[in-house]
Amino acid sequence: MAGRLLGRGMLAGCAAAALAFLFARIFGEPQVALAIAFEASRHAAEAAHHAAEAAHHAAEPELVSRTVQASYGLLTAVVLYGTGFGGLFALVFAYAYGRLNLWSPRALALLLAGAGFLTVVLVPDLKYPPNPPAVGVHATLAFRTATYFAMIGLSISVAAIATLIGQKITQTRGAWTGTLCGAGLFIALIALVQFGLPDVNEVPDGFPAVVLWRFREASIGMQLVLWGTMGLLFGALATPVLADRTAPSRR
């Protein structure tokens, strides 16, 4: 059963990634192009004062062309991301199915997709929002990567803790109270985590605020398309697999 769900999860993630790629091409890539143009103009302005540095940058070969980055490179990255998370999504679904009092696999799939988007994407991005090219210092790349993944790990951990405590309260106080207490605990702990982690602000002077805002909107939108589509498709694909194991009370 878990193996069959895993395959369907990867298929749903791959299909969702294709839609996310189209969204990124339409809404995200124009902002990336504007950011690259800003970076090129800034380097050109600095060339008059740093001729040696400009020559060094000019001598660096372009390992991957911009055309490949915006097409095959982006598609490959998004498909790998979607397929990987689709497999993990299926495993989490297989564990949660039957343990949560929901009416159908579709409802559980949408719930898990929403929880995944919240913990893996939205909460980390509120602390460390995505930035286009020309934003960020190369020397701090390792630090920024480590803090971002730490935020993802802490977000997932906090969500698990809040869910467990909410379930315990539900057993004694009812579903409504348990849900409110779990949600409140999640918000409080996330606020403490985000306050404790270091801030990163490396937006260069003069960078267009509209480009930065629209890039972040496109990044969040692409993830929303990915997780939403994955939840809908996986729920539809998993329903026939689980039909023979679905109790009459859950139909």
Side-chain angles (χ1 to χ4, degrees):
M1 181 65 65
R4 296 173 65 186
L5 291 177
L6 177 62
R8 283 161 174 77
M10 296 177 69
L11 179 61
C14 184
L19 291 179
F21 167 75
L22 293 177
F23 185 93
R25 283 282 294 174
I26 296 172
F27 297 101
E29 282 301 318
Q31 312 310 319
V32 174
L34 291 174
I36 292 176
F38 171 82
E39 187 177 26
S41 64
R42 187 179 64 173
H43 287 167
E46 293 175 351
H49 303 283
H50 305 283
E53 183 179 355
H56 173 70
H57 283 295
E60 292 181 351
E62 188 178 40
L63 299 179
V64 181
S65 67
R66 176 68 190 132
T67 302
V68 173
Q69 293 177 18
S71 55
Y72 300 109
L74 177 61
L75 178 62
T76 300
V78 173
V79 168
L80 290 176
Y81 178 91
T83 304
F85 271 102
L88 292 174
F89 182 84
L91 295 177
V92 173
F93 177 91
Y95 175 81
Y97 184 74
R99 293 177 172 85
L100 297 179
N101 187 23
L102 295 175
W103 287 100
S104 69
R106 294 174 186 262
L108 178 58
L110 286 177
L111 174 64
L112 293 178
F117 173 77
L118 176 67
T119 57
V120 178
V121 179
L122 185 58
V123 169
D125 283 0
L126 289 176
K127 177 65 178 179
Y128 301 114
N131 291 323
V135 175
V137 180
H138 182 72
T140 64
L141 178 60
F143 170 76
R144 286 184 283 118
T145 303
T147 53
Y148 180 74
F149 279 102
M151 186 67 246
I152 293 178
L154 290 170
S155 176
I156 295 173
S157 300
V158 168
I161 293 171
T163 300
L164 291 175
I165 294 177
Q167 287 179 339
K168 293 294 184 181
I169 297 176
T170 297
Q171 295 173 2
T172 57
R173 301 278 184 170
W176 181 251
T177 302
T179 300
L180 289 179
C181 290
L185 179 62
F186 176 78
I187 294 173
L189 292 178
I190 283 297
L192 290 175
V193 167
Q194 293 197 350
F195 178 78
L197 288 175
D199 294 326
V200 176
N201 184 15
E202 298 180 350
V203 179
D205 294 336
F207 190 88
V210 174
V211 174
L212 181 64
W213 176 252
R214 288 180 177 172
F215 176 85
R216 290 174 174 175
E217 282 184 325
S219 179
I220 293 291
M222 183 188 75
Q223 292 282 359
L224 185 60
V225 169
L226 177 68
W227 285 92
T229 304
M230 184 167 59
L232 290 172
L233 287 180
F234 182 80
L237 294 174
T239 298
V241 177
L242 300 169
D244 57 342
R245 302 173 65 93
T246 302
S249 61
R250 292 170 64 90
R251 290 178 180 171

